[in-house]
Amino acid sequence: MKKKWIAAATIAALLPFSPLKPAAEQLDDKQIKGNLVIAGGALGSSNKAVYDKFIELAGGTKNAKVGIIPAASGSLKSSAAFKKDMVTLGINPDSVEILPLSNHDFSGTAEDESKWAANSNTDKVANQIKDLTAVWFVGGDQVKIVDTLRDGNKDSKALKAIWEMYEEGGVIGGTSAGAAIMSDVMITGGDSLGALKGQSAKADKEEYEPLTVGKGLGFFQHGIIDQHMNERARYGRLTVAAVKHEQNPKQNFAYGVDEDTAMVVSNEKGTVEVVGRSGVFLADVSQATSKEDKQNGFEVKNAKISYLSPGDKVNIDSKTVDVSSTKYLTNGEEYYTFKPLPATGVFTPYGRLQAYLSYSLVDNQQTDPLTSQLLDSKGKGFKLTFKKQKDTNGYWGYTDGQKDQYSFVNVQMDIKPMKVSMSGAKKDNSYQSPSFKAKDVPQEKVSGNLLIAGGAVGESNELYGKFVEEAGGTTKAKVGIIPAASGSLKSSETFKKKLISIGVNPDNIEILPIASADFSGTPVDESTWKSNMNSEALANKVKGLSGIWFVGGDQTLITGSLLKEDGSRSTVLNAIWDMYKKGGILGGTSAGAAIMSNTMIAGGDSYNTLTKGFVDSYDGMEQQELGPGYVEQGLGFFQYGIIDQHFEQKARLGRLVATSYELGKKGERSYGIDEDTAMLVHNKTGEVEVLGRGKVTVVDIDNAKASKHTPRSYEDISLSALSPGDTINVKTNKITVSETKSETIGAEYSNAKTAPNTGVFSPHGLVNQLIGYDLVDNEANSSVKSYSLNGSSGFELEFAKTKKTSGYWGYTDGQRDSYSYENVSLSIKPITVKQK
């Protein structure tokens, strides 16, 4: 984190930068037989795609001989963990060694590793390396790697041996700092805001860090490398580095690698392939113009950016992209039609750059430019504009646990300095409270449980096994699938197929004829199934089941298929309740989660719900992406509060806060569930487990206050966030955080002031990541802010520590830093905005 980088960045800044010629300067890169595996950081042990590729290039499990260079790290933990991963995947333990290369001492060992500094120039270590087929650099501080292997401009014997191994066909890999050293120009410090401020950043370094560069090891000769791209939003700093320091901007891309992802470089083939779980950002400044103003920073026009996802390749020489054949071209077949809001702050749906431009631009029929901001706390910063061009292409595919996987190429990006001033909002009467009030139903005694998923559930998610287990196990489970929310039977058939793969008897799984609209791709008119809600025969069938699953889609189609016109329960819904009360499991994802609470949120985004309030009419699925809030009667299976889903991905905190304040009950909490994540609700005890890969956000409005004027301001909202392994008791509201996590308050990792979150170039763009990194694990901040701006109006959000705030850090595979927290205070204030 920032505190740890500063010393290294300062040292690097003192070095006069000039491009290095690599040790292999006598060779054309095509003569280098070896390959590179460059990972963006936070590489999970379960990321077989990256590890398998590294092992394959190293000669396979039988022939691989791997040397691990620990120099970047402060301890040997990450090196030991990497060795363990290699052995787990089949390499002989004797063929994986941690090389004694470091220029500093490590914590947690009896030996003084600073004495290893001389090893880089011993024949013994050089000969060890020459016998290897692969070298791996762990993460930490990239400057320490370079200083260990090079004395000024002179390559050590160890570095020459690495080059020799690489030239002859070996593979060099690295993660985080181990990725940064791969290019000639090595980025050593800075963030996007500090980089774009350029020389003007010297005036105030507290909230941001200027760009610094040093001399890398030059194994990758085709552009600058940056890492932790998506989580730390380093797009601005990489663009500035390419503009200012790239030696061949006409020929090269600059590459930003996401966490838990790698770019695999084949020198002989001249390709870069994306492998792993996220993507690689490409900045092409070959046609860009730029200028730097000492007062305002950089202005960049006509940069082209691309984002590639797993399976895609770059042809280095031609600068062309081969998108995986598993993806579909979106041009002319765009799925979305909504006009998106500007990308500002944590109220932006799909608020990280790749997702925002994918949903809101390349897979959207609207053609207007998109904008975002990057501002400091004084409102001084940059306006970002993204445009489609004639050569802009988008591609959609599916990936496990991330339903929509996008790639895009050649989006135009312009960056221009700007200044924003903010003041209190003018009062108006545009906000409308909801006219809907949920039926006040008595709480029922239930023996069964609920599995409520936030959407986009990956096939490898543990929740499928949990659902089957709760339904009686593979031999006894009898499951009904309700397809009503979907526009087809595909998702129901996919769920059935998944249960069969787990071991459930196919004869014990049935797609129930419950729907109120016709499906595509079938000869039957499923809208005629609406009358089935009062079928005694179907009700009797339901009573014989042990589990029911509601697929995703449009939640109003589920309630329209099971509730009578007067809102009362149909015969089949009563049968579902009967099965549930007697011990059956009910589950659902996305729309199938929304119907679980008595008050069902069916539409609206955060910004418009906070600005305009609620409407009484529903315009279909389009309203789920954009517009005022809309609520209806839910099915009430979850009797302890309000549920929302796709929570972080679609930035639904604002709409859940407004809905909870208007319609929530004293003493109850509201729950926002992330994608690929679920709440397992044990009704008998009230205990709720968090399962999957994301978080559950808990909103407490018991002490909240809202202004009477509109738009409303809110104070004293309390937020908590639970990650997998954590629990909450919905009867007592007591949170229990997994013992595997460590408390952060009083032992914060970071100690650096941070700028407010204002858009897609802001680090930690999701609410819970922002709170985790910049608040509960940062000693310097007692509060952090985010601004959501739209023209002349907007909102200021302030997240603050209180005496009751607790923070917890843990390691999650593929997501190195995983945070939970309790009792963070949130205030939301409407503002008037003036932009220059």
Side-chain angles (χ1 to χ4, degrees), residues 398 400-404 454-458 461 589-590 646 675-677:
Y398 173 86
D400 182 46
Q402 183 184 325
K403 188 175 181 180
D404 298 313
V457 179
N461 197 303
T589 182
S590 188
H646 295 280
E675 292 181 357
D676 212 17
T677 308

Side-chain angles (χ1 to χ4, degrees), residues 491-503:
S491 51
S492 299
E493 290 165 347
T494 299
F495 187 75
K496 180 177 180 177
K497 184 179 179 181
K498 179 61 185 177
L499 297 191
I500 293 170
S501 73
I502 292 173

Side-chain angles (χ1 to χ4, degrees), residues 125-132 157 160-161 164-165 168:
V125 171
N127 289 334
Q128 268 184 290
I129 293 169
K130 289 176 183 177
D131 193 43
L132 300 173
K157 290 182 178 180
K160 290 177 180 177
E164 185 177 325
M165 180 213 68
E168 293 178 356

Side-chain angles (χ1 to χ4, degrees), residues 698-744:
V698 183
V699 176
D700 173 5
I701 47 87
D702 278 359
N703 298 308
K705 299 179 285 292
S707 60
K708 293 183 179 179
H709 64 76
T710 58
R712 282 182 170 167
S713 60
Y714 294 86
E715 295 179 357
D716 297 327
I717 300 160
S718 183
L719 299 180
S720 300
L722 311 181
S723 53
D726 301 338
T727 64
I728 182 171
N729 189 299
V730 289
K731 295 180 179 179
T732 64
N733 296 320
K734 181 182 177 182
I735 290 171
T736 303
V737 175
S738 169
E739 293 180 354
T740 62
K741 300 187 179 79
S742 305
E743 290 195 51
T744 61

Side-chain angles (χ1 to χ4, degrees), residues 248-374:
N248 298 301
K250 302 283 183 194
Q251 299 173 28
N252 295 336
F253 289 128
Y255 295 80
V257 191
D258 287 350
E259 294 183 353
D260 212 17
T261 306
M263 48 184 277
V264 178
V265 182
S266 170
N267 288 296
E268 290 190 313
K269 295 178 181 177
T271 60
V272 173
E273 181 181 4
V274 182
V275 178
R277 293 196 174 111
S278 190
V280 172
F281 169 82
L282 307 179
D284 180 357
V285 298
S286 60
Q287 304 300 318
T289 59
S290 65
K291 62 181 180 180
E292 183 181 4
D293 185 302
K294 290 184 179 180
Q295 297 299 316
N296 299 309
F298 276 92
E299 180 174 354
V300 180
K301 293 181 179 179
N302 201 34
K304 286 189 175 181
I305 62 172
S306 302
Y307 226 117
L308 307 185
S309 54
D312 301 340
K313 290 183 180 180
V314 178
N315 300 298
I316 294 171
D317 287 343
S318 64
K319 289 180 67 176
T320 58
V321 171
D322 294 333
V323 174
S324 169
S325 60
T326 62
K327 301 185 180 82
Y328 298 91
L329 186 68
T330 60
N331 297 38
E333 300 288 339
E334 291 87 355
Y335 183 82
Y336 295 99
T337 58
F338 67 92
K339 185 178 175 65
L341 292 166
T344 60
V346 294
F347 279 171
T348 304
Y350 317 112
R352 286 177 169 169
L353 182 72
Q354 181 186 23
Y356 181 67
L357 294 186
S358 297
Y359 287 98
S360 300
L361 189 68
V362 299
D363 199 15
N364 197 318
Q365 292 178 29
Q366 72 87 27
T367 57
D368 294 339
L370 300 181
T371 60
S372 185
Q373 284 91 24
L374 181 64

